[in-house]
Amino acid sequence: GQQVMQIPQYQHVQEGEDFTTYCNSSTTLSNIQWYKQRPGGHPVFLIQLVKSGEVKKQKRLTFQFGEAKKNSSLHITATQTTDVGTYFCAGRRAAGNKLTFGGGTRVLVKP
Amino acid sequence: DAGITQSPRHKVTETGTPVTLRCHQTENHRYMYWYRQDPGHGLRLIHYSYGVKDTDKGEVSDGYSVSRSKTEDFLLTLESATSSQTSVYFCAISESTGGLGEQYFGPGTRLTVT
């Protein structure tokens, strides 16, 4: 079956630094979504990428979909304590009707 | 936040007992999902529904059943709870077919099976 892997599993970041988390699928994806889950909370939708090579920005967050549509990345610049949480990617196969979530990257910020 | 509630929010039950979790939405979205979340596994789809009385299995459906008799309610039943079903359960809804539209998640139910 389809597998979606995220690395790293944990990311300790100094406040103000940048970091990137990566998402890799075993199959070509039709689209990919990113969610953020704060500690003790529920996942919240951040963005969806559909086109090959697509790049989207939300303030300090930059999302990219790979050319082969099998991988994606989330880059955060100037990390803040409000960025703490777990970031999940979730991909859908072509002609599929379900999302497969990655294991998530848990981000901890050191002030 | 989308109008999604889950009940109960916390439950402790014994092995072998039946358990039903309820998801209720006020958004009139067609698609509803049940996920379980365990450390290191992200969110795994248990079952989903694409309309009243229309349901299908996800990747971890063994030991679970669902029902959807009304648009607004999606029930998840553990027929005979086991310790491996200790988890946090999230319900989600979507206006568009699964994977295309964003999913809105409920607050979750923490289930402990002793």
Side-chain angles (χ1 to χ4, degrees):
Chain A
Q2 181 186 8
Q3 290 188 333
V4 177
M5 308 293 290
Q6 281 187 255
I7 53 172
Q9 191 173 356
Y10 296 94
Q11 180 81 53
H12 294 252
V13 190
Q14 190 72 43
E15 190 173 12
E17 291 185 342
D18 303 352
F19 77 91
T20 303
T21 178
Y22 300 90
C23 178
N24 297 294
S25 170
S26 59
T27 59
T28 302
L29 300 172
S30 176
N31 58 289
I32 195 160
Q33 297 178 357
W34 285 87
Y35 291 79
K36 177 183 178 181
Q37 183 177 22
R38 296 184 184 277
H42 58 275
V44 174
F45 175 83
L46 292 176
I47 208 156
Q48 174 167 270
L49 305 170
V50 179
K51 300 176 184 176
S52 170
E54 188 171 14
V55 178
K56 286 188 176 181
K57 293 188 177 183
Q58 287 182 349
K59 297 182 180 179
R60 296 179 293 103
L61 277 61
T62 301
F63 303 84
Q64 187 166 6
F65 202 4
E67 294 290 341
K69 301 184 76 173
K70 293 183 73 173
N71 56 72
S72 181
S73 65
L74 160 59
H75 181 79
I76 300 182
T77 58
T79 304
Q80 300 177 359
T81 55
T82 53
D83 296 322
V84 165
T86 301
Y87 294 82
F88 293 99
C89 64
R92 182 180 73 96
R93 284 188 295 185
N97 59 1
K98 294 171 281 191
L99 282 175
T100 299
F101 281 79
T105 294
R106 184 177 174 188
V107 176
L108 303 169
V109 179
K110 294 178 283 187
Chain B
D1 284 345
I4 312 170
T5 57
Q6 291 184 232
S7 58
R9 293 292 314 279
H10 298 87
K11 186 169 182 65
V12 179
T13 191
E14 294 184 347
T15 299
T17 59
V19 177
T20 296
L21 308 182
R22 180 183 183 233
C23 176
H24 178 78
Q25 61 147 330
T26 58
E27 305 295 325
N28 201 36
H29 284 355
R30 178 179 175 186
Y31 301 89
M32 298 185 76
Y33 313 85
W34 276 107
Y35 292 91
R36 60 177 289 174
Q37 183 172 38
D38 306 288
H41 289 277
L43 292 147
R44 292 182 290 174
L45 183 66
I46 305 171
H47 282 280
Y48 66 101
S49 170
Y50 46 96
V52 173
K53 297 194 171 148
D54 291 323
T55 64
D56 203 352
K57 295 179 180 180
E59 60 183 299
V60 289
S61 59
D62 287 348
Y64 302 94
S65 63
V66 289
S67 66
R68 192 170 177 199
S69 58
K70 298 184 290 185
T71 299
E72 56 266 35
D73 289 326
F74 193 31
L75 303 180
L76 176 70
T77 297
L78 290 64
E79 302 290 346
S80 178
T82 67
S83 58
S84 64
Q85 292 176 313
T86 292
S87 187
V88 178
Y89 291 85
F90 286 101
C91 172
I93 64 174
S94 176
E95 201 167 14
S96 306
T97 186
L100 262 182
E102 67 179 277
Q103 294 188 8
Y104 301 92
F105 284 80
T109 294
R110 183 173 294 275
L111 177 67
T112 302
V113 183
T114 61

